Amino acid sequence: MNHIARFLTALLVAAGIAIAGFAVSQGLERFRMADRSVTVKGLAEKDVESDFAIWTLSFRRAGAEFSGVQQALAADREKVLTFLKARGFTDAELEARPLQVQDLLAREYAQGNVPFRFNGTGQVLVKSARVAEVEQAALAVDPLIQQGIQLGGENEGGRSGPRFQLRGFNDVKAPLLAEATRNAREQAEKFAAEAGAQLGPLKNANQGVIRITGDDGNDFDDGSSRGKRLRVVSTFEYELR
């Protein structure tokens, strides 16, 4: 009887081990099947026009007398405003910044051999959604120069040309991402068909970063280009069945 009991016990243990092994193997099989997936990237690009422009007209004067520099700057500012209004810009689109006059001899490390003691700057800003008009005005500043106005550039705190912005970014963001999603799904469906599988539900998604560049060939948007190129690469993981 003891021999029979030990035999039956061993038989039951062996059967249990076999059943457990079968269950484990089946579990691994389901895990491998569940882990079948494909990761694809969807690309979308779009060329758009800027919808807002900011143009800073900087001008400068230098002289031996504070009042002379200040008066010259005030006169220059009026000429700039007159020029811009003649181009059709309204008061709501124009901003005249306070004039600044600096005494060069009053600085901590001033040198006494400066040609002019006082140096002054002024700025008038154009802020407008009429980007085409701003661009055209920026190319037609010769009359200001002919009047003796010393227009400045980046070194004087302004820019030599307008900065173009895309403030309606959200209006073009959704269609761009939708296109990237369609592009990715088409690739995933093609891969699944070639692999003899069926495309399952979406498991993970990363919309990526929408990159904005100018249409002048630069790898980044510095605001100088009126045309913008939007580009996004989104990543998607689909289950395969």
Side-chain angles (χ1 to χ4, degrees):
M1 292 295 293
N2 290 336
H3 291 290
I4 295 175
R6 286 197 293 271
F7 174 76
L8 292 175
T9 300
L11 184 63
L12 291 173
V13 170
I17 292 174
I19 294 172
F22 176 77
V24 170
S25 66
Q26 289 296 103
L28 289 175
E29 180 68 16
R30 288 192 297 272
F31 173 76
R32 288 195 295 269
M33 291 295 292
D35 192 52
R36 292 180 62 191
S37 63
V38 58
T39 300
V40 293
K41 294 184 181 295
L43 169 66
E45 292 182 318
K46 185 178 181 61
D47 291 325
V48 298
E49 285 282 328
S50 301
D51 55 16
F52 200 83
I54 300 177
W55 181 26
T56 303
L57 289 90
S58 298
F59 44 94
R60 61 186 183 274
R61 289 282 182 173
E65 299 292 335
F66 177 91
S67 60
V69 173
Q70 191 275 334
Q71 292 173 10
L73 287 173
D76 289 345
R77 182 171 59 186
E78 289 303 315
K79 293 176 183 177
V80 171
L81 289 171
T82 299
F83 165 79
L84 293 172
K85 290 179 180 179
R87 302 285 309 185
F89 295 105
T90 65
D91 290 335
E93 296 173 303
L94 303 177
E95 177 185 341
R97 293 285 180 84
L99 303 176
Q100 296 183 355
V101 180
Q102 184 181 25
D103 185 350
L104 301 181
L105 296 183
R107 295 186 299 182
E108 184 177 357
Y109 298 103
Q111 298 179 358
N113 59 347
V114 293
F116 297 103
R117 177 174 178 176
F118 297 96
N119 186 28
T121 59
Q123 288 184 343
V124 174
L125 275 65
V126 182
K127 301 179 181 180
S128 176
R130 297 184 296 152
V131 294
E133 287 81 354
V134 174
E135 184 178 50
Q136 292 170 5
L139 298 174
V141 296
D142 285 357
L144 291 177
I145 298 175
Q146 291 168 2
Q147 295 179 64
I149 299 177
Q150 303 175 48
L151 294 177
E154 296 182 0
N155 292 335
E156 285 74 35
R159 293 178 60 94
S160 57
R163 288 174 294 165
F164 297 102
Q165 301 176 348
L166 182 60
R167 296 195 171 184
F169 174 76
N170 288 333
D171 295 335
V172 297
K173 175 182 177 181
L176 192 71
L177 293 175
E179 182 181 346
T181 302
R182 286 193 298 268
N183 178 263
R185 186 169 182 84
E186 289 174 359
Q187 295 185 62
E189 290 174 343
K190 182 178 179 181
F191 178 87
E194 293 176 350
Q198 292 184 346
L199 192 65
L202 180 67
K203 297 179 65 176
N204 294 296
N206 184 345
Q207 75 173 26
V209 177
I210 297 179
R211 186 179 179 186
I212 304 178
T213 60
D215 61 1
D216 51 6
N218 289 333
D219 292 333
F220 61 94
D221 177 29
D222 62 358
S224 63
S225 178
R226 179 179 164 188
K228 310 289 185 186
R229 166 158 287 197
L230 307 182
R231 186 178 191 272
V232 63
V233 178
S234 301
T235 304
F236 300 89
E237 181 184 6
Y238 289 93
E239 180 180 327
L240 291 179
R241 295 176 177 174

